[in-house]
Amino acid sequence: MAMTEKKGGSRKRNERRRNLITGYAGKWEPLFEKKAVARATAARVLSGVSEGVKRAKNTGGTVRVTYVIRSADEEPEIEIEEIAPQKDALDIALAAAKQRGAERVAEILKGPEMLSADEFADEIGATRETVNRKRKRHEILGLEGAKRGVRFPKWQIGDDGQLLGGLAQLFEALNGHPWAVYRFLLQESDSLGGRTGLEMLRKGMIEHAVGAARSIGRGDFS
């Protein structure tokens, strides 16, 4: 009889222990679930940051990473977008100047003295291919715009139908820039006694004109 009571008491104690363990497990389970969700959220956030850094390195720009959290039980959604750089006053001024320059170029190329390659070829009694070859060798001045293609100033042809001498030397002195050559030919210069480069070349004063152009190309404006 005493043995029976002992066994019965042991079963009751074991049952109470199991109930206690089950109760504690039930209390700790939500905490474990919250920790798992927190770990998943942290991993998702870090992956978004990593992807944003990678995008910024690849594009060389600025990237915004946005996290959208709809509920505590869901992983956050990630949105990655590139941010266009903001233009400051200098950027705006430079863009406006560039636009004015493009408009000025278009205006110049529309002038009646600007000929197409075919028209210029007819003037000098050559083919279009010859004109293009001479242009590449800097024996002819050709000006290029955004819309009208290459145009050739008629004034580089003398009254005798011959091409203006000294152009190749001018190109070399002015670092090969056609528009720099154009500007030098038409603008009056103190170093040329108030005359233009075009006037000097027409008078055969090639060395004097090239010397002045070389000073400009070096940035020597004294």
Side-chain angles (χ1 to χ4, degrees):
M1 185 67 178
M3 182 66 67
T4 302
E5 289 178 354
K6 185 177 182 180
K7 289 183 178 180
S10 177
R11 282 197 299 270
K12 289 181 180 180
R13 284 193 298 274
N14 290 336
E15 185 175 352
R16 285 196 301 270
R17 189 179 296 113
R18 284 195 299 270
N19 291 338
L20 182 61
I21 293 173
T22 301
Y24 277 121
K27 291 179 180 179
W28 284 98
E29 185 175 356
L31 180 58
F32 292 147
E33 290 179 354
K34 289 180 180 179
K35 288 185 176 180
V37 171
R39 285 194 296 270
T41 299
R44 184 67 170 158
V45 169
L46 290 176
S47 69
V49 172
S50 177
E51 181 63 27
V53 171
K54 186 185 300 183
R55 180 85 64 87
K57 287 183 178 180
N58 291 338
T59 62
T62 303
V63 173
R64 177 188 290 120
V65 180
T66 304
Y67 299 93
V68 180
I69 302 175
R70 304 192 184 281
S71 71
D73 298 330
E74 296 182 8
E75 292 185 1
E77 297 178 8
I78 299 176
E79 296 178 359
I80 301 175
E81 58 182 329
E82 297 178 19
I83 302 176
Q86 294 184 350
K87 294 184 177 181
D88 57 19
L90 178 59
D91 292 329
I92 296 173
L94 291 175
K98 185 177 181 180
Q99 178 62 31
R100 289 194 299 271
E103 292 172 355
R104 177 56 180 155
V105 166
E107 181 182 346
I108 291 173
L109 295 182
K110 287 192 299 184
E113 76 281 5
M114 292 295 174
L115 307 179
S116 66
D118 290 329
E119 292 170 337
F120 196 87
D122 290 340
E123 290 287 335
I124 65 174
T127 63
R128 176 190 181 95
E129 289 72 21
T130 298
V131 169
N132 287 326
R133 283 197 299 271
K134 286 181 175 294
R135 172 178 171 255
K136 291 179 181 179
R137 294 197 298 262
H138 293 160
E139 297 172 6
I140 292 176
L141 174 61
L143 302 170
E144 190 169 2
K147 296 181 179 180
R148 301 186 67 84
V150 180
R151 289 293 184 267
F152 301 85
K154 185 178 180 178
W155 42 251
Q156 62 186 311
I157 305 173
D159 295 335
D160 57 357
Q162 298 299 311
L163 292 171
L164 194 65
L167 279 179
Q169 294 95 311
L170 280 184
F171 268 98
E172 182 181 359
L174 295 171
N175 302 313
H177 297 303
W179 283 103
V181 173
Y182 171 84
R183 185 165 51 249
F184 176 81
L185 288 172
L186 296 189
Q187 284 185 349
E188 295 179 352
S189 171
D190 292 339
S191 61
L192 296 178
R195 290 170 291 189
T196 66
L198 181 59
E199 291 177 289
M200 300 298 289
L201 293 186
R202 283 177 173 171
K203 292 180 179 181
M205 302 176 68
I206 295 176
E207 291 186 6
H208 193 171
V210 171
R214 192 169 288 118
S215 295
I216 294 174
R218 291 195 305 263
D220 181 11
F221 299 103
S222 60

